[in-house]
Amino acid sequence: MPIPIAFLLLVAVAVAVVPSARAAAVPQPPGFYINCGADKDEQIGSIKWIQDEGFIAVGNVSAVNKPNILPLLATVRYFPDATARKYCYQLPVVKGSRYLVRTTYFYGGFDGGAEPPVFDQIVDGTRWSTVNTTDNYRRGMSTYFEMVAQAQGKTISVCLARRAETASSPFISALELVSLEDSMYNTTDFGNYVMSTVARNRFGGKGEIISYPDDQYNRYWAPFTDANPTVESHSAISPEEFWNIPPAKALRDGITTSRGKKLSVQWPPITLPAASYYVALYFQDSRTASPYSWRVFDVSINGKEFFRGLNASAAGVMVYSSMMQLSGKTEIALTPNETSPVGPLINAGEIYQIVPLGGRTATRDVVAMELLARSFKNPPPDWAGDPCLPRQNSWTGVVCSDGSPVRVISLDLKNHGLSGSLPDSIGNLTGMKTIVLSGNKLSGSIPDLSGMHILTALHLDGNQINGAINPSLGNLSNLKQLYLNGNNLTGKIPESLKNKPGLDMRYVYDGTQNLRISDPFYVLMGIVCMKHLQD
């Protein structure tokens, strides 16, 4: 479980949405920019932000009553229902594509409390981090979190979940999903990991955070300076020549030192938990391009060699490590080559914690459960996101297996006030052992369940199901309990069920088909028939 690293935005300054004269000429980066709780779409600086309607079906909205607040932070969606295991946004994506996910939080005392709640955020089935914005809120600042992930299916879910200590309602101010190029950060095994942003800085620069439209992927590049001298580039920079495509503006400045001296930079400016990290460093000679505009130096991190004989020319270069073990304070040391005409320099850096995925629910089960949720007109409020993972945040009434991939093995929503119907796709839940949906208002017919070979119990009693009993139920060799009483079923019991030994079956007959419980054939075959009692 990674320790989350929060980034700060001044409430009164729109650092992430600074208007630009070039904004109208630059297409908005593909993805979703969601202003949570807003009642209308709104152009804020260079980005058009949309309402969250259609992306989430639960929660309430509230205004944040603070003076001079950014429009992006002026509303929140919050989740007061303490019975739900999670509250999820569902965003359509292209399976296998790479995305930057950003969540933004500003409490603002929207609920009249003195400090913000502490809660978890989850992406698909992986617990991403704990959201604790208390310190930032006391300083009048908002907090955002970022990760880079690959879509494992046709949607990405971003969920909030209560912790044991969560005292009030989880909330969210904004949610972004930005499409990235497949070549970006491609040394990470996104089939097994996600990258949680720790820091992304431009060295030597001052002033605002650089983002869109300077960065076409709307990444935030915060300024970073220390006691070392700074320098500004005099050469044209082509970001397309760098892996990860950093914006040219982020490489315009740098930190340097005198010829022959080692450059030492303490970065990132936080203490890192012991973990694996992706580190990318960017270098570009600041002088006008010429046969002499080059710098050669060795790069080390915490005394370990990172890259030997780096030649930082005017064209620029990027070096990286995909699974570097780091902890505590971090020192980047640049040791110049004896022949280098000038001292070493560094222009920008990115560092991400490598977070293992929290497992995966079988795709066919995820799809089938999503179709089931859509077939119910009023499913439980936490029926979104991964149905099984994280395990303590599985859907209400759902029990899942151990191992990989995870399978849905049980569903129990007895007396849950459900309406709607059972889709044919429920038969694709081939790992299911028990289904208990008694005492609801489900209608429609019983679908074909012939693929559910290990199903032992099907309780549909006390609903409004109609039509005949599907004969496929007789093919379920492990079925021991079939409760169908209290519905509007018609027709006769299929022959495949009449001859099924060991089956506890409860069914309603009309006057012409009434079979008494004392009939010796059914007693001998182990079928228990309960006559419907009229009030």
Side-chain angles (χ1 to χ4, degrees), residues 94-110:
V94 177
K95 184 178 180 179
S97 294
R98 204 156 298 157
Y99 296 89
L100 181 145
V101 181
R102 182 185 295 126
T103 53
T104 302
Y105 302 93
F106 180 69
Y107 175 58
F110 73 89

Side-chain angles (χ1 to χ4, degrees), residues 335-418:
T335 304
N337 184 286
E338 293 180 358
T339 63
S340 185
V342 287
L345 90 168
I346 184 169
N347 300 80
E350 295 181 89
I351 181 168
Y352 301 83
Q353 186 174 344
I354 304 300
V355 181
L357 292 175
R360 188 175 303 165
T361 301
T363 300
R364 67 181 300 168
D365 285 14
V366 173
V367 172
M369 291 300 293
E370 289 175 345
L371 291 172
L372 181 62
R374 287 197 286 270
S375 295
F376 291 159
K377 294 182 180 178
N378 50 343
D382 52 19
W383 270 43
D386 192 292
C388 293
L389 301 172
R391 294 188 180 279
Q392 60 267 47
N393 302 106
S394 63
W395 291 5
T396 292
V398 172
V399 177
C400 301
S401 69
D402 297 325
S404 180
V406 177
R407 301 296 308 274
V408 177
I409 61 174
S410 177
L411 173 62
D412 187 347
L413 290 176
K414 182 178 181 179
N415 298 325
H416 229 82
L418 299 174

Side-chain angles (χ1 to χ4, degrees), residues 51 60 124 147 199 244 247 295 312 424 481 515:
Q51 305 173 66
N60 300 340
D124 289 337
M147 72 151 49
N244 302 341
R295 303 169 190 248
D424 292 338
Q481 296 178 349
L515 297 175

Side-chain angles (χ1 to χ4, degrees), residues 201-258:
N201 291 100
R202 55 187 185 93
F203 295 155
K206 298 180 181 180
E208 80 279 359
I209 292 175
I210 292 174
S211 61
Y212 176 82
D214 296 297
D215 187 318
Q216 61 182 308
Y217 305 102
N218 200 31
R219 291 168 295 183
Y220 294 169
W221 299 80
F224 174 89
T225 57
D226 59 11
N228 289 300
T230 61
V231 63
E232 183 175 346
S233 176
H234 295 87
S235 300
I237 301 169
S238 178
E240 289 75 16
E241 299 299 321
F242 293 82
W243 277 9
N244 302 341
I245 318 177
K249 195 172 181 180
L251 306 182
R252 183 182 61 189
D253 301 295
I255 291 174
T256 188
T257 190
S258 303

Side-chain angles (χ1 to χ4, degrees), residues 489-492 507-515 531-532 534:
L489 294 166
T490 58
K492 297 182 178 181
Y507 179 61
V508 179
Y509 297 87
D510 61 24
T512 62
Q513 300 174 4
N514 184 24
L515 297 175
K531 183 177 177 63
H532 180 58
Q534 300 290 342

Side-chain angles (χ1 to χ4, degrees), residues 59 118 195 246 296 304 362 419 477:
V118 177
M195 293 170 41
V296 178
K304 296 182 179 180
S419 59
S477 58

